[in-house]
Amino acid sequence: MSDEAPVAAEKIEGIVVGVDGSQQSKCALRWAEREAVRRGSVLNIVSAYTIPVFAASSMDAGYSTLDDDLIRGGAEDIVRQARADLEGSTATIRTYIESGDPSGVLLDLSQDAELVVVGTRGRGGFVGRLLGSVSSALPAHSKCPTVVVPLAMAKEQEDAGAAVASDRNCIVVGVDGSDRARSAVLAAADAAMAGSLTLRLICAVPPMGAALAWMPATVDQEAVLEDVRYQMSVGTKWLASHYPDLKMETDVVSGPPVEVLIRESEHAVLTVTGSRGRGGFTGMLLGSTSQGVLHHSKGPVMVVPDSEDPRLEDRKDFDTRAQEQ
């Protein structure tokens, strides 16, 4: 099914994928299509375009109208090709073209979407700039989870319709004990259950000496790791109470979180992080770990925004029980 209409004309639900004709966005399109089929969700293909400031300011009204028509025509070609690339898909597909900043357009759509998918970098030039900065800006502000499909995936899958590589066999989620990370864990668990995959929970603990210059020399790194393992065991009991059939494995690793998660992403169907973790100040848009993983991941990354999931409310009960034992 295909339907073309201005983005602002209606409330868009389901999965939204931003396209700009680049190989990265084509790979994101394929990933989004498979996810839409798996979830039974509508797939909304969206392209946004802007008129360059220098063009709009230097031309009279007649030329500006012509320029708008030409650029919109390019966006229409991109959407038309994207729809053709999915010929034969069983997903319900709708296409949209909007004049406006791509980040702003996709951010508006995230209000009602269940998932937004983009590639890591888009085309250059003034018709583009579609997904270059979007993959960094969107996860920081999105109201729903954002999946960023990296260039590495485009190279890995020369056939854009190919199945995920066989050595990708789990969903990885980074945890740090914060509520934001727990929101990410729940989103990762939902994805793992839907795909009948193992959920791998990773907590990376930077070496004390390298991370905190003021840390007393008497602090035992292994003792810290052991305490984190204990906290992880409590957390998995809480998660199992909501997902009794979920296959889980945990690992506590000594090392920088970004490096650890990038390494884990090589074998993950999806790597999941919160938008911000511990240590960030309130105004921080996207945590350094999320940014680092987004820029260097070997597979798709889902960034999960803060949520008010009711399942978070009983997490402290498990901490209390553990302390009483």
Side-chain angles (χ1 to χ4, degrees), residues 91-105:
T92 297
I93 300 173
R94 295 171 182 157
T95 59
Y96 299 87
I97 299 168
E98 176 73 352
S99 174
D101 176 76
S103 295
V105 169

Side-chain angles (χ1 to χ4, degrees), residues 118 133-142 146 148 275 285-286 294 303 305:
V118 294
S133 61
V134 174
S135 59
S136 292
L138 182 64
H141 302 277
S142 179
T146 302
V148 177
S275 57
L285 296 180
L286 194 62
L294 280 176
V303 179

